[in-house]
Amino acid sequence: MQNRGLVKFFAILFALVSIYQLSFTFVSHKVESDAKAFAKGDSEKEVKYLDSIGKEKVFNMGFTSFTYNEVKDKKINKGLDLEGGINVQLQISIKDIVAGLANNTKNPVFNKALTEATKNRQGNEDYLDVFFREFDKASAGSTKLASPEVFSNKIIGDEVNFKMADDEVKKVVRRKVDESVQSAFEVLRKRIDKFGVTQPNIQKIGESGRILVELPGAKDVDRIKKLLQSTAQLEFWETYKIDEVGGFLMQANEALKATEKTALAKETVKKDDSLTALLTDKSKDSAKASDTKDLGPLVSKFFQPGGGPVLALVEPKDTAAINGYLKRPNIKAILPAELRFAKFVWGKPTITVDEKTKKGTETVEFYALKGNKNNQAAMSGGVVTDATDTFDQSGKPAVSMQMSGAGARAWEELTGKAYTQKSNIAIVLDDVVYSAPGVTSGPISGGRSEISGVFDVAETKDLANVLRAGKLPAAAEIVQSEVVGPSLGQEAIDNGTTSAIIGLLIVALWMIVYYGKAGWYANIALLVNLLFLFGILASIGAVLTLPGIAGIVLTMGTAVDANIIIYERAKEELRQGKSQEDAINASFGWKGAMRSIVDANVTHVLTGAVLLIFGTGPIQGFATTLLIGIATSLFTSIFISRILLDWSLSRNNVLTFTTGFSKNFFTNFHFDFLGIKKYTYAFSLLVCVVSVISLMTNGLNQGVDFVGGRTFQVRFEKPVSAEIVREELLKVFDGSAEAKVFGKDNQLKITTKYKVEESGSEADQAVNKVLFENLKKHFDDKMTYEKFVNSYDGKRYGILQASKVGPTVADDIKTNSYWAVLGAMAIVFLYLMISFRKWQYSLGAIAAVAHDVIFVLGIYSLLWKYMPFGMEIDQHFIAAILTVIGYSMNDTVIVFDRVREYLGGKAKGNFNQIVNQSINSTMSRTINTSLTMILVLLIMFIFGGESIRGFIFAMLIGIVVGTYSSLFIATPVLVDTISDAEHKRIEEEHNKA
């Protein structure tokens, strides 16, 4: 081998760099283990510990040293499925941004376009593209985007004027939308930085208006979702008092009696049947009676009368009904002139305790705010320049705010008015009243104010955080989320490590048994490959996920493939009488093994690249490790193995590339592959027909990635019946619930579409509470809602993992998946046509791949209802399909390279005999590679854990079918599509005397 010294130099340098990069991971792991031991399960204490030593030197290499912050920035990060934590995709509402840029215009053409764009957006279409298309359709030239009623307004300013063409306005609007999304990104980043988790990750996803937020180690699910989705729209409103609104509520109550009698008969209300007394009485009597003759539907929803600015206390479940009553046209018509702009809102949930029964009930306060025709507050929260969490005069948690100079003057005027009129000022955040204090000591100057109410310390910290970071420019909706408990992450690490070690040992043992001394060299190259692979992952700051571990284990199977191809070629050269040195030189040459290795790995790289582009999260982790593994395995198999083989030759060692066990394997193998093509065609056609019929009738078990929904992995203390749980949840989840045993019989995977289209942390919390209330009977009395939902170290029962995929994201994922599979097939088709210069080779390869994909889909369609493990069609399955495509192409290319070589060589016989010889000559490589891959996948299937079992099963079936198709489908199709004239020409050329 030429330039051997240079290769050695780079190999040693690369190894040293890899060890250097990995050292940071080991040091960081030790420091974080110490932090966990110190915190004893207290996550906040753990974060504070790590923060406190962030600038301390923890790694001294003699010539330089590093702080903990520097070390953790260089380590291999674990994904959420290994670390535990929360991952969410937030969709910044482009619709809200566009409406805001148009100054919330009432223009009918504009608003119709907004509505139709939301309705008609398909797949991965950009919302702005659809909006502009719908605007053009609705306008039909009658309204311009530069109209003063649309974008030529004070919000955009001078950047748009009424003379501009629509295409010019579109560019301005796109830029403004991008600026708003960037603003939202910065606001969220500031909030997350102050939240207190180690190594948070936030990134924009293309130009979709989506923002990915990953919080490793985060545990308080409801709190985090609320923090991320809060728009932080702080406002200060004047309020009406109960005696100002009571008359209207009495009239509304009377008007509702006529239409709500049937519903009212089922309600229970207070003893006191005087509506006026009910609205003004400040007593705490909350006893209820069944007499409903004199009270109407509205009052029956009041849990307890209010006082001052509080109209009443209401249970949260009744707020929707009251909102519905007040929005009715006949009720709105009753509003007196002085109340026509009143805005009815709710307060923050609190617990109201009945003094007689001592029973606590969750209630919210009912308020009426003094609005105006523009529905604007007396003061906006934009004047707040700083906010800190503090304690009020009673020692209760509160938030202190400082306003700007202009804000201070406006605040002094507003508080002076409230003091004079003896009225109240409601402090409203995102349409929720946090408090409505009165002003008792005159106007408040200096711009310093305080938000008090029923808070805990964590809530005031979060509230101060969002006020400091500023408000979002538009609503942020969680369209996809995943929550993984730390205990589940540790299980994934244990399972992944076990499968990796066993897989490595099996591959290494097989190489020694089959190739003897040369097998040892291949194993050394494999270990160096793993060192390089992890070194690169550490140097690029990659995130290691469970599918990523699967990619590493799979790399071990494919890493020896190049060695197998080289060794098999060397054995052939030795059989032809060449010396060891000549045989090794020939096997490493372009006409030997290199051409096949390059073609096979290029096809694998192309499908891996498609997976990286179209995949998200853990799937990208799988693709990353797979692609890096291909690169490192090629280097080590070709260069490290060659160095070791040359070293062995220099010591006069005998290399036969066989053992006593494998010496005669496939040496006299002569099977007529083309002779049975009618039977293999018939078998494959039958399988494809059955698969298609099953797909049309039985369908596939589409996961929430493709259809949208919520998934919960719930572990119980004792085995539970999935059917009983399903029946219980169907009643409360509006008929949408599925429960299946997931791994052990005390663990269920629960799927539902209940409230999946509703945005806001309130909807997620409501679903969690409904799930808990209906499952708590299956736990002991110690199980609380917080223990059930939130993550914590050592958690064994409750929700271990939860995910949500909104319908829009599901459509995007499905569209991406279709394009990924079709794109991979198209790209490889083109590559093979260019490489082999005959379309028949590409057609044979694509026919085999299409056969494999249909076969795997058919198996999943036929078996998903019966298998004891999950067989969902989701992103992991698509990753498996693309991996199968890559492997099938890899295997087919190896066979095709040998067919091309034999057809261009000197083999004797008719066309079919020459092709059969070429196939038979590859059997040792085909069986060896397939066997190592199947063994590795079997180990992962058995030990890899429940969450990736369906993913591995798809690959396992695909590898078996891919091996079959490369021999019995791809090559016969190639032969059948080559013309008879070409057959005859090749036969005459090969059989000359």
Side-chain angles (χ1 to χ4, degrees), residues 256-309:
L256 288 166
K257 285 184 179 180
T259 57
E260 301 298 312
K261 285 182 179 178
T262 305
L264 181 59
K266 299 176 183 177
E267 298 287 348
T268 59
V269 296
K270 320 286 181 303
K271 283 182 178 180
D272 189 346
D273 62 356
S274 168
L275 185 58
T276 305
L278 183 64
L279 291 173
T280 57
D281 184 10
K282 297 180 178 59
S283 72
K284 300 294 182 180
D285 183 13
S286 61
K288 297 188 177 184
S290 60
D291 182 9
T292 63
K293 290 184 294 184
D294 299 323
L295 294 176
L298 184 60
V299 176
S300 70
K301 302 295 184 186
F302 293 170
F303 176 80
Q304 190 170 299

Side-chain angles (χ1 to χ4, degrees), residues 462-480:
D462 291 346
L463 183 53
N465 182 4
V466 297
L467 291 177
R468 280 195 305 271
K471 70 175 184 178
L472 290 173
E477 176 187 349
I478 292 179
V479 291
Q480 184 176 1

Side-chain angles (χ1 to χ4, degrees), residues 320-390:
I322 294 175
N323 287 338
Y325 292 154
L326 298 177
K327 287 178 182 178
R328 292 186 182 184
N330 64 315
I331 301 302
K332 291 172 76 173
I334 300 172
L335 276 167
E338 64 272 16
L339 292 178
R340 67 184 185 278
F341 296 126
K343 180 177 180 179
F344 293 96
V345 294
W346 304 98
K348 186 176 174 290
T350 57
I351 300 297
T352 299
V353 179
D354 188 311
E355 292 182 358
K356 293 182 179 179
T357 64
K358 303 302 180 184
K359 180 182 177 182
T361 303
E362 188 178 55
T363 61
V364 291
E365 295 173 334
F366 186 31
Y367 292 92
L369 308 180
K370 292 183 179 180
N372 49 53
K373 64 179 180 180
N374 295 321
N375 195 32
Q376 291 180 341
M379 270 185 68
S380 166
V383 299
V384 175
T385 58
D386 192 21
T388 55
D389 55 298
T390 182

Side-chain angles (χ1 to χ4, degrees), residues 89-144:
Q89 268 192 45
L90 290 156
Q91 175 71 66
I92 304 300
S93 176
I94 306 299
K95 177 182 178 182
D96 288 355
I97 294 174
V98 173
L101 291 173
N103 202 19
N104 295 305
T105 179
K106 304 296 183 183
N107 183 278
V109 171
F110 176 88
N111 286 298
K112 181 180 180 183
L114 274 185
T115 303
E116 292 300 313
T118 305
K119 186 190 305 180
N120 297 330
R121 180 179 175 274
Q122 299 291 327
N124 286 330
E125 280 189 299
D126 185 279
Y127 181 87
L128 272 181
D129 289 337
V130 184
F131 166 73
F132 290 141
R133 186 177 68 223
E134 294 296 337
F135 185 88
D136 292 340
K137 188 189 300 182
S139 170
S142 65
T143 306
K144 291 183 63 178

Side-chain angles (χ1 to χ4, degrees), residues 468-522:
R468 280 195 305 271
K471 70 175 184 178
L472 290 173
E477 176 187 349
I478 292 179
V479 291
Q480 184 176 1
S481 66
E482 183 174 15
V483 180
V484 182
S487 56
L488 197 62
Q490 188 58 49
E491 288 179 17
I493 293 173
D494 295 341
N495 292 333
T497 303
T498 301
S499 62
I501 292 172
I502 296 176
L504 177 63
L505 291 175
I506 287 180
V507 170
L509 181 62
W510 177 253
M511 292 300 289
I512 294 169
V513 168
Y514 201 87
Y515 292 107
K517 190 174 291 183
W520 280 103
Y521 299 149

Side-chain angles (χ1 to χ4, degrees), residues 36-337:
K36 285 185 182 293
F38 171 77
K40 297 180 180 179
D42 187 333
S43 57
E44 193 169 333
K45 194 175 180 182
E46 181 183 336
V47 170
K48 286 181 179 178
Y49 176 89
L50 293 175
D51 284 344
S52 68
I53 64 167
K55 296 182 180 180
E56 290 184 16
K57 302 289 185 181
V58 296
F59 186 23
N60 189 346
M61 301 186 72
F63 58 90
T64 186
S65 57
F66 299 91
T67 65
Y68 170 67
N69 287 339
E70 292 171 331
V71 166
K72 75 176 182 180
D73 288 340
K74 295 176 182 289
K75 73 171 185 175
I76 296 178
N77 294 309
K78 290 182 287 188
L80 294 187
D81 51 359
L82 300 179
E83 177 78 12
I86 298 174
N87 169 323
V88 301
Q89 268 192 45
L90 290 156
Q91 175 71 66
I92 304 300
S93 176
I94 306 299
K95 177 182 178 182
D96 288 355
I97 294 174
V98 173
L101 291 173
N103 202 19
N104 295 305
T105 179
K106 304 296 183 183
N107 183 278
V109 171
F110 176 88
N111 286 298
K112 181 180 180 183
L114 274 185
T115 303
E116 292 300 313
T118 305
K119 186 190 305 180
N120 297 330
R121 180 179 175 274
Q122 299 291 327
N124 286 330
E125 280 189 299
D126 185 279
Y127 181 87
L128 272 181
D129 289 337
V130 184
F131 166 73
F132 290 141
R133 186 177 68 223
E134 294 296 337
F135 185 88
D136 292 340
K137 188 189 300 182
S139 170
S142 65
T143 306
K144 291 183 63 178
L145 288 171
S147 164
E149 291 185 349
V150 187
F151 291 120
S152 183
N153 59 54
K154 63 180 181 180
I155 302 296
I156 292 184
D158 296 337
E159 294 188 60
V160 173
N161 62 71
F162 67 93
K163 295 179 181 180
M164 293 174 68
D166 280 358
D167 287 343
E168 293 177 293
V169 178
K170 288 176 183 178
K171 292 178 182 178
V172 175
V173 172
R174 285 187 187 281
R175 189 177 71 255
K176 289 292 185 180
V177 168
D178 289 342
E179 289 173 359
S180 294
V181 173
Q182 182 63 33
S183 172
F185 176 82
E186 293 299 329
V187 168
L188 288 169
R189 183 178 58 78
K190 289 176 183 176
R191 293 183 188 180
I192 290 166
D193 287 344
K194 297 295 182 181
F195 185 72
V197 294
T198 56
Q199 294 187 293
N201 174 41
I202 177 170
Q203 54 185 286
K204 290 196 294 183
I205 302 176
E207 302 300 322
S208 63
R210 290 184 188 150
I211 296 174
L212 173 68
V213 177
E214 292 181 320
L215 302 174
K219 299 175 175 64
D220 195 334
V221 178
D222 292 337
R223 179 187 171 196
I224 289 169
K225 288 185 176 180
K226 183 177 179 181
L227 172 78
L228 293 175
Q229 289 187 283
S230 171
T231 57
Q233 181 70 41
L234 179 65
E235 296 170 325
F236 303 93
W237 294 77
E238 296 177 273
T239 66
Y240 289 104
K241 290 191 175 181
I242 191 170
D243 53 0
E244 296 175 281
V245 185
F248 160 68
L249 294 178
M250 290 170 60
Q251 288 180 282
N253 192 62
E254 290 300 320
L256 288 166
K257 285 184 179 180
T259 57
E260 301 298 312
K261 285 182 179 178
T262 305
L264 181 59
K266 299 176 183 177
E267 298 287 348
T268 59
V269 296
K270 320 286 181 303
K271 283 182 178 180
D272 189 346
D273 62 356
S274 168
L275 185 58
T276 305
L278 183 64
L279 291 173
T280 57
D281 184 10
K282 297 180 178 59
S283 72
K284 300 294 182 180
D285 183 13
S286 61
K288 297 188 177 184
S290 60
D291 182 9
T292 63
K293 290 184 294 184
D294 299 323
L295 294 176
L298 184 60
V299 176
S300 70
K301 302 295 184 186
F302 293 170
F303 176 80
Q304 190 170 299
V310 180
L311 307 182
L313 298 181
V314 179
E315 292 184 63
K317 65 182 178 63
D318 292 325
T319 57
I322 294 175
N323 287 338
Y325 292 154
L326 298 177
K327 287 178 182 178
R328 292 186 182 184
N330 64 315
I331 301 302
K332 291 172 76 173
I334 300 172
L335 276 167

